[in-house]
Amino acid sequence: MKPVITDIPGIGPAAAETLAEHRIRSLAGLARASIEKIAAIPGFSEARATIIIAAAADLTAASGTTPAVTTTLAKSKKDKKDKKNKGKGKGKKKKKDKKKDKKNGKGKKKGKK
């Protein structure tokens, strides 16, 4: 018989239902999920997420159905911070800001004398 999410110790029907509500419906899906994604689900702490993801990976490996993507069990704080701040404060100016700069005489290069 193929293992299911409720085969993981500590995951009963209610926890499986909660996971399903958050698009975690298969053992392989759970094994591929990040700790942060599972820990964000009500009733799942970071420690519990780590344990059940590892258990899901073990069950899928034992059954011969390995998840498509391997899961990293621990991410550094830097990785979390980089992901959170991605795209903030850098990059192109908005058109509105460019127009203001042109009005104020900024942004134009002056020729050599």
Side-chain angles (χ1 to χ4, degrees):
M1 184 186 272
K2 190 175 180 180
V4 292
I5 288 179
T6 53
D7 291 338
I8 296 172
I11 302 294
E17 173 101 12
T18 301
L19 288 168
E21 289 170 0
H22 289 86
R23 297 183 179 183
I24 306 293
R25 294 181 179 92
S26 69
L27 202 56
L30 179 57
R32 285 191 305 266
S34 70
I35 294 169
E36 291 80 12
K37 181 176 181 176
I38 303 301
I41 298 172
F44 292 87
S45 65
E46 194 170 311
R48 186 178 184 194
T50 303
I51 292 167
I52 65 168
I53 290 169
D58 289 345
L59 281 174
T60 56
S63 70
T65 56
T66 56
V69 179
T70 57
T71 304
T72 304
L73 293 180
K75 287 189 175 184
S76 69
K77 288 182 181 179
K78 185 181 182 300
D79 290 340
K80 290 178 189 176
K81 187 176 179 181
D82 289 345
K83 187 174 181 180
K84 184 177 178 182
N85 293 328
K86 185 178 180 181
K88 290 184 180 178
K90 293 184 181 179
K92 299 178 182 178
K93 281 187 173 183
K94 292 181 181 178
K95 285 184 180 180
K96 194 189 253 186
D97 293 336
K98 285 182 180 179
K99 285 180 182 178
K100 282 182 183 178
D101 286 348
K102 277 187 178 180
K103 252 186 185 178
N104 296 329
K106 294 180 183 175
K108 292 183 179 179
K109 292 185 179 181
K110 295 183 180 181
K112 293 183 181 179
K113 288 186 180 182

